[in-house]
Amino acid sequence: MVQAMCALFEFCYLMCHSTITNTTLIAINDALECFHQYCKVFYLDIVSTFSLPCQHAMTHYPDFICLLGAPNGSCSSITELKHIKAVKQPYRWSNHHNVLDQMLITNQQLDKLAWCYVNFNQHKMLNGTCVSHVLEGSGR
């Protein structure tokens, strides 16, 4: 069990490098093979109190690094937050009929609102209220 966890930690450590060379890629594959060799102890009844989640996605990492480049230490939670904002929330706000069109329109409207917010801030249009603006203009 210790060897399996050591191999998993080695894999995670190597994946956090900002640049991944061919040597690093070989070390990632070696750590992955070691992990899969030693992780069989988790499927036995010997370690019943410890639950290791499915690690199938790890087998695809080296291939994706070759295809897409190094992840540069990026975290998947960033993309998850973007997914929630761009897909899940607009889906919940829709009436679930012709969903894709509604989601696209919602995202367009959110982008326009974000642009308006930035533009209005640049022109100092969001400072104060209408009443405070009138009071400042009248000298009170």
Side-chain angles (χ1 to χ4, degrees):
M1 182 172 82
V2 173
Q3 291 173 327
M5 295 307 295
C6 184
L8 178 64
F9 291 147
E10 179 71 16
F11 174 82
C12 293
Y13 171 75
L14 292 168
M15 288 303 302
C16 288
H17 287 144
S18 60
T19 53
I20 295 179
T21 62
N22 286 336
T23 308
T24 312
L25 203 55
I26 291 169
I28 288 171
N29 281 324
D30 290 344
L32 194 57
E33 287 176 21
C34 285
F35 172 73
H36 284 295
Q37 177 184 354
Y38 295 123
C39 75
K40 294 173 184 151
V41 71
F42 293 106
Y43 301 114
L44 302 174
D45 289 333
I46 299 170
V47 187
S48 61
T49 59
F50 187 82
S51 175
L52 187 68
C54 293
Q55 302 295 324
H56 173 75
M58 289 181 0
T59 59
H60 300 293
Y61 278 30
D63 296 332
F64 285 143
I65 290 171
C66 291
L67 290 173
L68 306 172
N72 292 329
S74 63
C75 180
S76 64
S77 64
I78 296 169
T79 55
E80 178 66 19
L81 290 175
K82 297 293 183 185
H83 172 74
I84 289 170
K85 186 176 180 182
V87 178
K88 288 186 175 182
Q89 286 178 344
Y91 178 80
R92 289 182 193 129
W93 296 334
S94 72
N95 64 3
H96 307 290
H97 176 72
N98 206 1
V99 178
L100 184 59
D101 290 339
Q102 291 182 45
M103 290 170 56
L104 292 173
I105 290 170
T106 300
N107 282 330
Q108 288 174 354
Q109 291 171 341
L110 290 173
D111 287 342
K112 289 177 183 178
L113 283 172
W115 178 85
C116 285
Y117 178 78
V118 169
N119 191 22
F120 291 166
N121 260 342
Q122 287 176 348
H123 291 93
K124 307 218 185 297
M125 295 170 64
L126 296 177
N127 295 346
T129 63
C130 294
V131 175
S132 66
H133 183 68
V134 170
L135 291 175
E136 287 175 7
S138 67
R140 292 186 184 177

